[in-house]
Amino acid sequence: MNDSGSSFSIFNRNLSHKPWQIALIVVFGMFATGVILLALVALILTPTLPAIDDLSESRLKVPLRVYTADNRLIAEFGEEKRIPVKIDAVPDRLIKAILAAEDHSFFQHHGVDFLGILRAAWHNLVTKSARQGASTITMQVARNFFLSPEKTYTRKMREVLLAFKIERELSKQEILELYVNKIFLGHRAYGFAAAARIYYGKTLGELTLPEQAMLAGLPKAPSRNNPLTNPESAMERRDYVLRHMYNLGFIDKTTFIEAYNAPLTANKHAFRYDVEAPYVAEMVRQYMLQAYDEKTYAGGFHVYTTIDSRHQRAANRALRKGIMAYERRHGYRGPEGHVSIQGDPDKGQLDDALKDYRVVGNLLPAVVLKTEDKTASVYTQDGYIAELDWDGLSWARAYIDENTLGPAPKKAGDIIKPGDIVYVELISEAKTSSENADTQDQGNGVWWLAQVPRVAGALISLRPDDGGILALTGGFDFQQSNFNRAIQAERQAGSSLKPFIYTAALEKGFTAASTVSGAPIVIEDATLEDVWRPENYSKKFFGPTRLRKALTLSLNLVSVRLLRAIGAAYTIEYMERFGFDPDKLPRNLSLALGSASVTPLQMVSAFSVFANGGYRPQPYFITRIEDANRNILEQARPFVVCRDCPEADAQETALPNTAVKEDAKDDVQRVAPRVLSPGISFIMNSILRDVIREGTGRRARQLGREDLAGKTGTTNEFRDAWFSGFNADLAATAWIGFDQPASLGRGEAGSRAALPIWMDYMAVALDGVPEKPLIIPDTVEKILINSETGEPTNEDDPDAIEEYFVKGAKITEETTTEEERAVKPEPETVPEKIREKLF
């Protein structure tokens, strides 16, 4: 018993004297158990982690980007605004701001900041929440690319494991690059380059230190610290980043104080593109949606178009200038609204008054501040004070209807009053020195009173030798109306169709010297028991007239008789070779006066046949499509004019009206089919040059070129105005009219409303382009004819002129009337809804 008691007492005494040993054993056991549990969790979770290869080849949701042929950005489409950049392109100070804000020990740890995690875990344990984290930049990369955003311990464990894996397989610079491009920074901006554009309208290299610190502070709470929606919180966060940069030695005290005292400069900036071509961008978007479906907006596609940036800018200016000129000719409809102005209003009141008005095209909303005798001062939405002189105001006679204006104003107060909300147009910018280029001075320049146009228009141009569209604008302002009139508006073409009828007549045996009567004509309509009396635009009548002169002067009566002579059915079939849909051409004599409805795209494509010597290219607008890695997915293979190639048969070549894309590896050249003989093409080109030299397009002589050709077009009641013209390098069509067909007003013919638009565009587009002579083909000869009769004559004839003929053509001495009788005419009918006058 004594031994037993002794043993028990010894054991008891040992336990009571060594409690630390027990605690050590317990702690060690708990640690071992934790390690084992963590190891088991790691073994379970590790196989579920994504491969780093997927990370390094990260599928960023990069938007679709659209470019001009000369690599200028037109547009981008995507839910996430993102501009991927290489880490070498990120300013060093921005990287330091990011490190100060998010992970100053980034270059020291191996993906995880253990002290930070313990600190966050203790905080969350005490507060019984999971709100605080200690994510490193590497962990944020892991979370943002692969893991869900919920704040749980399971997610945190996976984040830690993936961070280790990322650090093992990627360099610190690669991790930073992923972070800079991926992180969400509010307002749909993903990545710092996109955020710099949205908040400041700048590139990364243009950001100031306060702006860099502001962006660096966003990842923690993009909404709470957003400078646009919560500027006070944003400033606090920015100042924290600046202080931390100073404490870490990233910036000196002077730099810190200067940046700390800088005001908030963030403002919502729309993405600004290099070239304004929204109608082209929308065409691309529609094509991409059809071809690539849901991948379109996030696949990082790069689409290169045929658009030339210089041509596109010229087209935008020309169309807007022409539309505004029309608006000024037809009077002022009054201000857009009115606000009460008492005393001297402050900038905030004025800005508030304008906030609901948007910029339309190149027109800027403004508030009238005061008017004097013949001047007015306005405050624009851009914050400038602009002066309107009498030249910019005197046009504004009151609009009554398209043909009627009110009396001419005598002073500015007759037109506008203080408090009126108006639109103004900057006609020309002022030349200011750098010392005076302040906010107020930017309102200088020549400003005119304007109004949002009701009339619409379109301008499109292409290369005749391959059909590549160089410029396309489908309206005054895409946001005002996204209806693309250049390719969607089917409008009556008026006299613009006459050249194709005259070409068909040349093919039928007529010549440029053939004479056709221009006397009055009455055509009966058996179904309506009514008659149709077509007229010339001038209301004058002509006797027998040579076809060259008739087309140059756009004589309607000659054109009707000519179509009757060759037959409407034949003409419609012939016009198909120019790209016109025969099912949409009227099968009666109204075709002679342009009653068919066509689009500007169809017109410019058809006129390009005359420009290139008789070949029919196919219009296209996309040259190639690349994926995010710059691999070519599609490459355009246009129908190219090849004058030395075997001639293709136009009847056997299918030519759809949209661009054809082929596999990028298929580099076989496709040849545009010849649809006109060299002789007929040459003669038509020479006649259309006469339209500009001495006909309805003679205003274009102001361009000072001898290589221009074209044709005006005006429909009845002046509902549509056209001009299509070309030289060997460029073809372009301008159209103007109302979307809901209505009269443009008396005198608004193609030569007045559309031709100036075409001229303004061509003046820029052909600047520096040398003229190319019109070479007479071997199949054409010159013969002296009498200018009145069109019959062959000699040098002794005082009325002798030279005319071109296809060799072998029958040059008859018969009168036109006899020639017409030799051809059996088709039944003379007019459509049920034929208008009284067609031009």
Side-chain angles (χ1 to χ4, degrees), residues 583-615:
D583 294 333
K584 293 185 177 181
L585 299 177
R587 295 181 174 274
N588 51 62
L589 296 183
S590 71
L591 177 64
L593 307 186
S595 62
S597 294
V598 296
T599 67
L601 173 62
Q602 289 174 315
M603 290 303 293
V604 72
S605 176
F607 272 87
S608 70
V609 175
F610 298 130
N612 64 34
Y615 299 86

mmCIF file of all heavy atoms in Angstrom, residues 583-615:
data_model
loop_
_atom_site.group_PDB
_atom_site.id
_atom_site.type_symbol
_atom_site.label_atom_id
_atom_site.label_comp_id
_atom_site.label_asym_id
_atom_site.label_seq_id
_atom_site.Cartn_x
_atom_site.Cartn_y
_atom_site.Cartn_z
ATOM 1 N N ASP A 583 -36.743 44.034 -110.678
ATOM 2 C CA ASP A 583 -38.076 43.937 -110.086
ATOM 3 C C ASP A 583 -38.519 45.257 -109.459
ATOM 4 O O ASP A 583 -39.704 45.436 -109.157
ATOM 5 C CB ASP A 583 -38.109 42.839 -109.024
ATOM 6 C CG ASP A 583 -37.902 41.455 -109.627
ATOM 7 O OD1 ASP A 583 -38.235 41.281 -110.818
ATOM 8 O OD2 ASP A 583 -37.400 40.565 -108.925
ATOM 9 N N LYS A 584 -37.574 46.173 -109.230
ATOM 10 C CA LYS A 584 -37.911 47.443 -108.603
ATOM 11 C C LYS A 584 -37.936 48.598 -109.603
ATOM 12 O O LYS A 584 -38.077 49.753 -109.209
ATOM 13 C CB LYS A 584 -36.923 47.755 -107.482
ATOM 14 C CG LYS A 584 -37.024 46.783 -106.305
ATOM 15 C CD LYS A 584 -36.125 47.202 -105.159
ATOM 16 C CE LYS A 584 -36.311 46.264 -103.972
ATOM 17 N NZ LYS A 584 -35.463 46.663 -102.810
ATOM 18 N N LEU A 585 -37.799 48.279 -110.896
ATOM 19 C CA LEU A 585 -37.831 49.311 -111.931
ATOM 20 C C LEU A 585 -39.206 49.316 -112.592
ATOM 21 O O LEU A 585 -39.715 48.259 -112.967
ATOM 22 C CB LEU A 585 -36.743 49.055 -112.972
ATOM 23 C CG LEU A 585 -35.298 49.053 -112.458
ATOM 24 C CD1 LEU A 585 -34.332 48.723 -113.585
ATOM 25 C CD2 LEU A 585 -34.936 50.396 -111.832
ATOM 26 N N PRO A 586 -39.835 50.479 -112.723
ATOM 27 C CA PRO A 586 -41.169 50.532 -113.338
ATOM 28 C C PRO A 586 -41.106 50.169 -114.812
ATOM 29 O O PRO A 586 -40.228 50.632 -115.539
ATOM 30 C CB PRO A 586 -41.588 51.993 -113.145
ATOM 31 C CG PRO A 586 -40.306 52.739 -113.026
ATOM 32 C CD PRO A 586 -39.345 51.816 -112.334
ATOM 33 N N ARG A 587 -42.043 49.352 -115.246
ATOM 34 C CA ARG A 587 -42.038 48.885 -116.635
ATOM 35 C C ARG A 587 -42.914 49.780 -117.502
ATOM 36 O O ARG A 587 -43.864 49.325 -118.145
ATOM 37 C CB ARG A 587 -42.493 47.432 -116.701
ATOM 38 C CG ARG A 587 -41.535 46.499 -115.995
ATOM 39 C CD ARG A 587 -41.946 45.038 -116.073
ATOM 40 N NE ARG A 587 -40.891 44.208 -115.494
ATOM 41 C CZ ARG A 587 -39.841 43.754 -116.145
ATOM 42 N NH1 ARG A 587 -39.713 44.023 -117.437
ATOM 43 N NH2 ARG A 587 -38.937 43.030 -115.541
ATOM 44 N N ASN A 588 -42.592 51.063 -117.485
ATOM 45 C CA ASN A 588 -43.341 52.025 -118.281
ATOM 46 C C ASN A 588 -42.449 53.234 -118.524
ATOM 47 O O ASN A 588 -41.307 53.286 -118.068
ATOM 48 C CB ASN A 588 -44.645 52.415 -117.587
ATOM 49 C CG ASN A 588 -44.410 52.847 -116.154
ATOM 50 O OD1 ASN A 588 -43.718 53.830 -115.917
ATOM 51 N ND2 ASN A 588 -44.951 52.091 -115.191
ATOM 52 N N LEU A 589 -42.975 54.211 -119.213
ATOM 53 C CA LEU A 589 -42.162 55.343 -119.645
ATOM 54 C C LEU A 589 -41.778 56.288 -118.510
ATOM 55 O O LEU A 589 -40.901 57.142 -118.702
ATOM 56 C CB LEU A 589 -42.902 56.121 -120.739
ATOM 57 C CG LEU A 589 -43.155 55.334 -122.036
ATOM 58 C CD1 LEU A 589 -43.824 56.225 -123.077
ATOM 59 C CD2 LEU A 589 -41.862 54.758 -122.582
ATOM 60 N N SER A 590 -42.397 56.148 -117.355
ATOM 61 C CA SER A 590 -41.984 57.007 -116.236
ATOM 62 C C SER A 590 -40.554 56.702 -115.806
ATOM 63 O O SER A 590 -39.912 57.524 -115.145
ATOM 64 C CB SER A 590 -42.930 56.821 -115.043
ATOM 65 O OG SER A 590 -42.748 55.547 -114.430
ATOM 66 N N LEU A 591 -40.051 55.541 -116.205
ATOM 67 C CA LEU A 591 -38.656 55.199 -115.904
ATOM 68 C C LEU A 591 -37.703 56.243 -116.481
ATOM 69 O O LEU A 591 -36.646 56.524 -115.906
ATOM 70 C CB LEU A 591 -38.327 53.809 -116.472
ATOM 71 C CG LEU A 591 -36.888 53.311 -116.319
ATOM 72 C CD1 LEU A 591 -36.537 53.148 -114.844
ATOM 73 C CD2 LEU A 591 -36.693 52.001 -117.076
ATOM 74 N N ALA A 592 -38.086 56.840 -117.617
ATOM 75 C CA ALA A 592 -37.222 57.831 -118.269
ATOM 76 C C ALA A 592 -36.979 59.042 -117.393
ATOM 77 O O ALA A 592 -35.974 59.741 -117.556
ATOM 78 C CB ALA A 592 -37.846 58.261 -119.602
ATOM 79 N N LEU A 593 -37.893 59.301 -116.472
ATOM 80 C CA LEU A 593 -37.778 60.478 -115.622
ATOM 81 C C LEU A 593 -37.396 60.088 -114.193
ATOM 82 O O LEU A 593 -37.515 60.897 -113.271
ATOM 83 C CB LEU A 593 -39.076 61.275 -115.634
ATOM 84 C CG LEU A 593 -39.592 61.649 -117.030
ATOM 85 C CD1 LEU A 593 -40.797 62.549 -116.919
ATOM 86 C CD2 LEU A 593 -38.497 62.330 -117.832
ATOM 87 N N GLY A 594 -36.951 58.862 -114.001
ATOM 88 C CA GLY A 594 -36.392 58.475 -112.711
ATOM 89 C C GLY A 594 -37.399 58.140 -111.646
ATOM 90 O O GLY A 594 -37.173 58.432 -110.464
ATOM 91 N N SER A 595 -38.497 57.493 -111.996
ATOM 92 C CA SER A 595 -39.499 57.134 -110.993
ATOM 93 C C SER A 595 -39.086 55.908 -110.181
ATOM 94 O O SER A 595 -39.747 55.563 -109.208
ATOM 95 C CB SER A 595 -40.849 56.878 -111.666
ATOM 96 O OG SER A 595 -40.750 55.784 -112.574
ATOM 97 N N ALA A 596 -37.999 55.244 -110.563
ATOM 98 C CA ALA A 596 -37.530 54.085 -109.807
ATOM 99 C C ALA A 596 -36.907 54.525 -108.489
ATOM 100 O O ALA A 596 -36.260 55.576 -108.408
ATOM 101 C CB ALA A 596 -36.502 53.310 -110.637
ATOM 102 N N SER A 597 -37.099 53.728 -107.455
ATOM 103 C CA SER A 597 -36.525 54.012 -106.141
ATOM 104 C C SER A 597 -35.218 53.253 -105.971
ATOM 105 O O SER A 597 -35.168 52.038 -106.187
ATOM 106 C CB SER A 597 -37.510 53.623 -105.035
ATOM 107 O OG SER A 597 -38.657 54.438 -105.075
ATOM 108 N N VAL A 598 -34.184 53.966 -105.575
ATOM 109 C CA VAL A 598 -32.844 53.389 -105.415
ATOM 110 C C VAL A 598 -32.205 53.964 -104.158
ATOM 111 O O VAL A 598 -32.665 54.961 -103.611
ATOM 112 C CB VAL A 598 -31.952 53.691 -106.636
ATOM 113 C CG1 VAL A 598 -32.508 53.042 -107.893
ATOM 114 C CG2 VAL A 598 -31.811 55.195 -106.825
ATOM 115 N N THR A 599 -31.135 53.356 -103.715
ATOM 116 C CA THR A 599 -30.371 53.876 -102.581
ATOM 117 C C THR A 599 -29.140 54.616 -103.089
ATOM 118 O O THR A 599 -28.663 54.369 -104.208
ATOM 119 C CB THR A 599 -29.915 52.739 -101.658
ATOM 120 O OG1 THR A 599 -28.953 51.930 -102.352
ATOM 121 C CG2 THR A 599 -31.088 51.872 -101.203
ATOM 122 N N PRO A 600 -28.579 55.511 -102.286
ATOM 123 C CA PRO A 600 -27.323 56.150 -102.687
ATOM 124 C C PRO A 600 -26.212 55.143 -102.972
ATOM 125 O O PRO A 600 -25.392 55.368 -103.870
ATOM 126 C CB PRO A 600 -26.992 57.036 -101.481
ATOM 127 C CG PRO A 600 -28.331 57.410 -100.925
ATOM 128 C CD PRO A 600 -29.158 56.157 -101.085
ATOM 129 N N LEU A 601 -26.178 54.037 -102.241
ATOM 130 C CA LEU A 601 -25.172 53.014 -102.502
ATOM 131 C C LEU A 601 -25.329 52.445 -103.904
ATOM 132 O O LEU A 601 -24.335 52.259 -104.631
ATOM 133 C CB LEU A 601 -25.269 51.896 -101.462
ATOM 134 C CG LEU A 601 -24.383 50.673 -101.706
ATOM 135 C CD1 LEU A 601 -22.908 51.059 -101.699
ATOM 136 C CD2 LEU A 601 -24.656 49.591 -100.677
ATOM 137 N N GLN A 602 -26.567 52.170 -104.311
ATOM 138 C CA GLN A 602 -26.787 51.649 -105.660
ATOM 139 C C GLN A 602 -26.378 52.658 -106.720
ATOM 140 O O GLN A 602 -25.816 52.298 -107.756
ATOM 141 C CB GLN A 602 -28.267 51.278 -105.824
ATOM 142 C CG GLN A 602 -28.682 50.049 -105.030
ATOM 143 C CD GLN A 602 -30.183 49.798 -105.101
ATOM 144 O OE1 GLN A 602 -30.990 50.720 -104.969
ATOM 145 N NE2 GLN A 602 -30.560 48.552 -105.311
ATOM 146 N N MET A 603 -26.643 53.924 -106.459
ATOM 147 C CA MET A 603 -26.308 54.952 -107.445
ATOM 148 C C MET A 603 -24.805 55.105 -107.604
ATOM 149 O O MET A 603 -24.286 55.160 -108.730
ATOM 150 C CB MET A 603 -26.927 56.288 -107.038
ATOM 151 C CG MET A 603 -28.445 56.328 -107.161
ATOM 152 S SD MET A 603 -29.047 55.959 -108.828
ATOM 153 C CE MET A 603 -28.445 57.375 -109.720
ATOM 154 N N VAL A 604 -24.081 55.185 -106.496
ATOM 155 C CA VAL A 604 -22.634 55.382 -106.620
ATOM 156 C C VAL A 604 -21.984 54.150 -107.233
ATOM 157 O O VAL A 604 -21.010 54.256 -107.989
ATOM 158 C CB VAL A 604 -22.014 55.731 -105.248
ATOM 159 C CG1 VAL A 604 -21.984 54.524 -104.317
ATOM 160 C CG2 VAL A 604 -20.618 56.307 -105.430
ATOM 161 N N SER A 605 -22.518 52.980 -106.934
ATOM 162 C CA SER A 605 -21.985 51.756 -107.534
ATOM 163 C C SER A 605 -22.212 51.748 -109.040
ATOM 164 O O SER A 605 -21.328 51.375 -109.820
ATOM 165 C CB SER A 605 -22.650 50.542 -106.886
ATOM 166 O OG SER A 605 -22.222 49.343 -107.492
ATOM 167 N N ALA A 606 -23.398 52.187 -109.457
ATOM 168 C CA ALA A 606 -23.702 52.216 -110.887
ATOM 169 C C ALA A 606 -22.841 53.234 -111.624
ATOM 170 O O ALA A 606 -22.324 52.966 -112.716
ATOM 171 C CB ALA A 606 -25.186 52.529 -111.084
ATOM 172 N N PHE A 607 -22.656 54.412 -111.058
ATOM 173 C CA PHE A 607 -21.845 55.430 -111.713
ATOM 174 C C PHE A 607 -20.364 55.039 -111.751
ATOM 175 O O PHE A 607 -19.614 55.524 -112.607
ATOM 176 C CB PHE A 607 -22.015 56.779 -111.018
ATOM 177 C CG PHE A 607 -23.164 57.586 -111.557
ATOM 178 C CD1 PHE A 607 -24.444 57.424 -111.051
ATOM 179 C CD2 PHE A 607 -22.970 58.488 -112.590
ATOM 180 C CE1 PHE A 607 -25.506 58.152 -111.549
ATOM 181 C CE2 PHE A 607 -24.022 59.225 -113.099
ATOM 182 C CZ PHE A 607 -25.303 59.057 -112.579
ATOM 183 N N SER A 608 -19.933 54.176 -110.838
ATOM 184 C CA SER A 608 -18.532 53.741 -110.863
ATOM 185 C C SER A 608 -18.216 52.957 -112.127
ATOM 186 O O SER A 608 -17.056 52.879 -112.538
ATOM 187 C CB SER A 608 -18.221 52.899 -109.623
ATOM 188 O OG SER A 608 -18.862 51.644 -109.678
ATOM 189 N N VAL A 609 -19.237 52.388 -112.772
ATOM 190 C CA VAL A 609 -19.024 51.678 -114.037
ATOM 191 C C VAL A 609 -18.530 52.654 -115.104
ATOM 192 O O VAL A 609 -17.642 52.323 -115.905
ATOM 193 C CB VAL A 609 -20.318 50.973 -114.481
ATOM 194 C CG1 VAL A 609 -20.135 50.343 -115.869
ATOM 195 C CG2 VAL A 609 -20.721 49.913 -113.464
ATOM 196 N N PHE A 610 -19.094 53.853 -115.138
ATOM 197 C CA PHE A 610 -18.607 54.868 -116.075
ATOM 198 C C PHE A 610 -17.202 55.330 -115.687
ATOM 199 O O PHE A 610 -16.371 55.621 -116.556
ATOM 200 C CB PHE A 610 -19.548 56.072 -116.083
ATOM 201 C CG PHE A 610 -20.944 55.771 -116.529
ATOM 202 C CD1 PHE A 610 -22.030 56.181 -115.780
ATOM 203 C CD2 PHE A 610 -21.181 55.079 -117.706
ATOM 204 C CE1 PHE A 610 -23.325 55.914 -116.185
ATOM 205 C CE2 PHE A 610 -22.473 54.798 -118.127
ATOM 206 C CZ PHE A 610 -23.556 55.217 -117.364
ATOM 207 N N ALA A 611 -16.934 55.394 -114.389
ATOM 208 C CA ALA A 611 -15.657 55.928 -113.920
ATOM 209 C C ALA A 611 -14.486 55.018 -114.254
ATOM 210 O O ALA A 611 -13.383 55.499 -114.544
ATOM 211 C CB ALA A 611 -15.707 56.157 -112.407
ATOM 212 N N ASN A 612 -14.699 53.693 -114.218
ATOM 213 C CA ASN A 612 -13.570 52.768 -114.388
ATOM 214 C C ASN A 612 -13.451 52.212 -115.796
ATOM 215 O O ASN A 612 -12.613 51.335 -116.046
ATOM 216 C CB ASN A 612 -13.649 51.627 -113.363
ATOM 217 C CG ASN A 612 -14.880 50.762 -113.548
ATOM 218 O OD1 ASN A 612 -15.357 50.536 -114.648
ATOM 219 N ND2 ASN A 612 -15.405 50.245 -112.428
ATOM 220 N N GLY A 613 -14.270 52.690 -116.711
ATOM 221 C CA GLY A 613 -14.138 52.248 -118.093
ATOM 222 C C GLY A 613 -15.032 51.104 -118.478
ATOM 223 O O GLY A 613 -14.794 50.456 -119.505
ATOM 224 N N GLY A 614 -16.073 50.815 -117.675
ATOM 225 C CA GLY A 614 -17.045 49.808 -118.090
ATOM 226 C C GLY A 614 -17.081 48.544 -117.269
ATOM 227 O O GLY A 614 -17.732 47.572 -117.668
ATOM 228 N N TYR A 615 -16.419 48.519 -116.120
ATOM 229 C CA TYR A 615 -16.412 47.320 -115.264
ATOM 230 C C TYR A 615 -17.351 47.527 -114.082
ATOM 231 O O TYR A 615 -17.574 48.650 -113.627
ATOM 232 C CB TYR A 615 -15.004 47.033 -114.744
ATOM 233 C CG TYR A 615 -13.997 46.767 -115.825
ATOM 234 C CD1 TYR A 615 -13.313 47.819 -116.439
ATOM 235 C CD2 TYR A 615 -13.727 45.467 -116.252
ATOM 236 C CE1 TYR A 615 -12.387 47.587 -117.432
ATOM 237 C CE2 TYR A 615 -12.796 45.226 -117.251
ATOM 238 C CZ TYR A 615 -12.130 46.276 -117.850
ATOM 239 O OH TYR A 615 -11.207 46.041 -118.827
#
